[in-house]
Amino acid sequence: MKILLAEDDQRLGKLIMYKLKKEYDSVDWVQDGEAAYDYAITSPYDVLILDWMMPKMDGISVSQKLRQSGYHGGILMLTAKDEVPDRIYGLEAGCDDYLTKPFEFSELMARLRALSRRSIRMYQDSIIQIQDLHINQSTHEVIVNNQLIELTPREYQLLLLLAKNANYILSKDVIIDAIWGIDQYITTNTIEAFIGSLRKKLDTDNPKKYIQTIRGAGYKLVK
C-alpha cells in the first residue's frame, strides 16, 4: 500500500513515519497542504493521511480539491477537533475516516487497513472510456488510440473534469473553480492555453476531435 502523510508537526510527523515504515514499504511525508495536493494528484496513492490544520492549504481544502480532481483513494483526516459538526464537515468534504488527536497507533493502523480494502474495491471501477480514449484514475495513465499520452498534472485534471462531464458544457469559470479554486487568480487565457495544449496531445495522429469549443459558453468533451 502506498501512503502519503501530510503533517506539519515535526515531532508527530517523524513518529508517524517511523510507525508507518515498519508496516509499509512506500510512505511519503509532506508538511503543507499545497505539497500534499501536488503529490497526490501526480502519484497514485492508496491512502492519504491529512492533518486538518496545515500551512498553505488546510486538510479539508486538500480533500475537496482532490475529490473534484478525481482522486478515488482513501482519505483519513487527523485533527484535534472532536465535535460532531466538525466530523460531519470533514466527511462531507470527501474524507473517508476521521481520527482525533491524541490517538493510539494501533487504531491508526487498523483504520489504514480498512481504508486500503475500500480503495481496492473502488479502483476496480476507475477506468473511464470514451471512444478510443482511456483514463485510468488509479494510475493517471491516459491512452488514446492505443498510445500512452504524457500529460502534465493540470492537463490531466482538466481532461478528467471534462471526461466526467462528457457531453456537458463546462464554462471557463466552472473549470477554474473546480481545478484551481475560487481563491486563485486564473485568467480565461490560461484556460484557453491548457485546452489548446490538451487538444494537441489528444488529437495528434487521431481523426477524432474530443474537445469542442462552444462559443460563448465553454467547452465539452464529446462521447
Side-chain angles (χ1 to χ4, degrees):
M1 182 165 66
K2 189 171 184 180
I3 299 174
L4 175 66
L5 169 66
E7 170 60 67
D8 65 314
D9 185 302
Q10 288 280 333
R11 181 176 174 277
L12 180 58
K14 288 178 181 178
L15 186 56
I16 294 175
M17 282 293 288
Y18 172 76
K19 296 287 187 178
L20 290 178
K21 286 191 171 182
K22 291 176 70 175
E23 298 286 336
Y24 305 105
D25 293 329
S26 183
V27 185
D28 293 322
W29 176 25
V30 296
Q31 299 177 48
D32 66 73
E34 286 186 359
Y37 178 79
D38 290 340
Y39 269 63
I41 204 64
T42 55
S43 185
Y45 290 96
D46 299 294
V47 176
L48 311 181
I49 305 172
L50 303 178
D51 183 34
W52 186 311
M53 300 302 295
M54 290 187 290
K56 298 185 180 179
M57 189 188 306
D58 61 53
I60 292 295
S61 299
V62 174
S63 178
Q64 289 173 327
K65 286 194 69 176
L66 286 173
R67 293 306 189 200
Q68 291 170 351
S69 301
Y71 173 75
H72 285 281
I75 297 179
L76 173 63
M77 187 68 67
L78 300 181
T79 179
K81 299 176 183 285
D82 60 358
E83 297 294 327
V84 172
D86 294 321
R87 297 183 187 184
I88 294 173
Y89 184 47
L91 293 171
E92 289 180 343
C95 303
D96 296 291
D97 204 352
Y98 195 100
L99 190 57
T100 55
K101 301 176 181 179
F103 53 83
E104 296 291 333
F105 280 96
S106 58
E107 183 179 4
L108 172 63
M109 295 303 179
R111 289 174 184 264
L112 287 176
R113 287 191 290 271
L115 283 177
S116 176
R117 292 193 295 269
R118 191 182 312 171
S119 297
I120 290 170
R121 291 195 299 269
M122 292 179 70
Y123 283 157
Q124 292 174 352
D125 298 319
S126 66
I127 304 295
I128 296 177
Q129 180 176 353
I130 299 173
Q131 301 182 49
D132 293 327
L133 169 65
H134 296 75
I135 304 172
N136 188 322
Q137 296 179 78
S138 62
T139 64
H140 291 189
E141 289 182 337
V142 176
I143 296 174
V144 177
N145 201 21
N146 296 320
Q147 298 213 358
L148 183 65
I149 306 298
E150 296 292 335
L151 300 180
T152 67
R154 292 299 191 196
E155 288 171 348
Y156 173 81
Q157 290 175 257
L158 177 55
L159 176 61
L160 187 60
L161 180 65
L162 290 168
K164 286 189 169 184
N165 296 276
N167 282 348
Y168 287 93
I169 301 170
L170 300 184
S171 69
K172 294 176 182 177
D173 287 340
V174 166
I175 293 172
I176 290 172
D177 187 19
I179 296 179
W180 284 271
I182 58 176
D183 295 331
Q184 298 292 322
Y185 180 71
I186 302 295
T187 67
T188 55
N189 289 339
T190 300
I191 302 301
E192 291 170 2
F194 273 102
I195 289 288
S197 176
L198 192 54
R199 276 178 171 148
K200 286 181 181 178
K201 293 182 179 182
L202 294 180
D203 296 341
T204 300
D205 300 324
N206 186 10
K208 297 183 177 69
K209 306 302 179 185
Y210 290 99
I211 302 174
Q212 289 186 356
T213 299
I214 310 302
R215 190 174 299 277
Y219 304 97
K220 73 174 180 179
L221 194 147
V222 182
K223 284 187 177 180

